[in-house]
Amino acid sequence: METRRLGASELYPSVIGFGAWAAGRNGWGVVEEKEIRQAIDKAIDLGITFFDTAPVYGFGESERVLGKALKAVRDKVLIATKCGLVWDDRYQVDIDLSGASIIREVDDSLIRLDTDYIDLYQVHWPDPKGKVPIEETFSVLNGLVQAGKIRSIGVSNFSVHQLVAAQSVSPVVSLQSPYNLLQRQVEYAELPYSEKQQLGFIPYSPLAQGLLTGKFSAVTKFRDDDIRSYGNPLYKRGQFEGNVLKVELLQGIARSIGKPLNQVAINWLLYNKAVTTVIAGAKTVAQVQENAAASRWKLTREDYEQISRLFEPDSSYVI
């Protein structure tokens, strides 16, 4: 599988990454560990070398499962995890980017992942209240690089302003943001800034949590515990129905191209060379196979532009 350099780092991830949120087995329906392990094994077989997780996914469960699955091939893969979202005894989550908390987190992650180092360590969310000076957070991250516990520093969900502040303290090699045909806000600032600064750009939610697979209709109902039921504006009633209609139009384009809808959506992201690797979540072997297949062909310029016109950015989705 094609690889692309992640910013100024020495990391060359596969263009399709494996998103391991579902390995935490919370918010994504019934997910068996055996099934996830089979999906990870298939990803390795298909040339996927970039695996992205976070401590908060299943409160450590995703990291534990991923660490077990990758143990035998650790020197052949890149593991990305995150810091900053912590939980208490009642599993209430809060943001803590203090130096002491990050040091505890990285050590806990190393144990769960059963590894001596983390290839890409990302700040999961910026501190919305500015409780901890950004200098403290990124100075500690620099120290972790020097200690050999992490190889490179990345950020997730940062604005350009927040990214600039982080870069003033520490080398940052990548930005991970939500980016798909239905959520294109990063094209206004974050994506062009990353390209200009030669930062790796990592889209997550490339299929809009399933919307861009075509499996939902305008009358689809979601369980209260489904991750889509809270926080994602794409699934808000009044907007969801219009998004389904757009996806139906894209389905027609996919048929004319002769490729599955989900592959078209991922391939559209990969067309942009500013994108380094696409984090495609998966919980089954079939999903991994579909995601990986999106890297084996390329959209024509005409198809890319037609799809882009159909999904013009809508600032109402900015979170």
Side-chain angles (χ1 to χ4, degrees):
M1 184 179 293
E2 178 190 355
T3 61
R4 296 178 182 176
R5 186 180 184 184
L6 188 70
S9 76
E10 296 305 313
L11 308 179
Y12 286 80
S14 53
V15 292
I16 302 294
F18 185 100
W21 188 352
R25 296 187 285 172
N26 62 336
W28 294 104
V30 178
V31 183
E32 299 294 338
E33 181 174 341
K34 179 180 178 181
E35 193 171 36
I36 282 286
R37 289 287 301 270
Q38 291 171 340
I40 294 170
D41 289 343
K42 177 56 67 174
I44 295 166
D45 291 343
L46 294 172
I48 292 174
T49 61
F50 185 75
F51 294 82
D52 181 84
T53 184
V56 76
Y57 299 162
F59 304 109
E61 182 68 1
S62 176
E63 287 188 327
R64 183 191 67 80
V65 170
L66 194 63
K68 284 174 61 178
L70 298 179
K71 181 67 174 176
V73 293
R74 180 65 186 95
D75 60 336
K76 297 179 177 65
V77 298
L78 302 175
I79 296 177
T81 191
K82 307 176 185 78
C83 65
L85 292 185
V86 299
W87 59 92
D88 59 20
D89 293 340
R90 295 175 297 168
Y91 297 101
Q92 297 297 305
V93 178
D94 195 12
I95 294 177
D96 188 346
L97 293 175
S98 66
S101 181
I102 290 172
I103 290 170
R104 284 194 300 270
E105 277 204 86
V106 74
D107 287 340
D108 289 343
S109 288
L110 288 168
I111 292 170
R112 287 190 292 260
L113 289 165
D114 195 12
T115 185
D116 296 326
Y117 64 95
I118 293 163
D119 298 286
L120 180 65
Y121 200 52
Q122 303 157 104
V123 177
H124 203 153
W125 283 91
D127 183 349
K129 299 179 181 178
K131 293 182 293 185
V132 178
I134 202 162
E135 293 80 8
E136 177 180 341
T137 298
F138 284 87
S139 293
V140 167
L141 291 172
N142 275 331
L144 294 178
V145 173
Q146 294 166 7
K149 293 186 177 183
I150 65 177
R151 295 177 64 189
S152 295
I153 300 167
V155 296
S156 181
N157 301 300
F158 272 47
S159 67
V160 168
H161 174 76
Q162 292 162 336
L163 184 50
V164 169
Q167 288 177 294
S168 70
V169 182
S170 168
V172 174
V173 304
S174 63
L175 169 63
Q176 182 179 149
S177 297
Y179 186 33
N180 56 62
L181 279 166
L182 290 164
Q183 292 173 302
R184 295 175 59 184
Q185 299 76 26
V186 294
E187 293 177 10
Y188 293 118
E190 288 81 11
L191 185 58
Y193 179 80
S194 296
E195 186 172 19
K196 182 179 179 181
Q197 291 286 309
Q198 296 184 310
L199 296 173
F201 187 83
I202 307 174
Y204 72 80
S205 196
L207 298 177
Q209 294 186 338
L211 248 178
L212 289 166
T213 66
K215 65 182 179 181
F216 303 136
S217 72
V219 296
T220 298
K221 303 293 184 182
F222 299 96
R223 301 184 317 275
D224 290 342
D225 64 343
D226 192 297
I227 200 72
R228 305 171 187 89
S229 298
Y230 49 94
N232 191 333
L234 294 177
Y235 288 82
K236 183 180 179 181
R237 289 298 166 184
Q239 293 180 341
F240 175 69
E241 295 81 359
N243 291 331
V244 169
L245 179 59
K246 282 187 175 183
V247 172
E248 290 173 354
L249 295 174
L250 180 62
Q251 188 72 268
I253 297 175
R255 291 192 192 99
S256 70
I257 295 172
K259 296 294 183 181
L261 185 61
N262 66 313
Q263 289 188 32
V264 171
I266 292 174
N267 202 277
W268 181 86
L269 290 169
L270 292 177
Y271 188 92
N272 189 334
K273 294 300 182 182
V275 169
T276 306
T277 178
V278 174
I279 297 176
K283 56 185 181 180
T284 67
V285 166
Q287 289 172 347
V288 171
Q289 290 172 320
E290 278 294 313
N291 293 338
S295 69
R296 301 193 191 113
W297 59 278
K298 298 183 185 300
L299 285 168
T300 65
R301 182 178 181 86
E302 291 74 21
D303 287 334
Y304 174 81
E305 291 176 348
Q306 181 186 14
I307 294 168
S308 298
R309 286 192 298 270
L310 176 61
F311 289 88
E312 286 295 332
D314 183 347
S315 61
S316 68
Y317 292 140
V318 175
I319 299 174

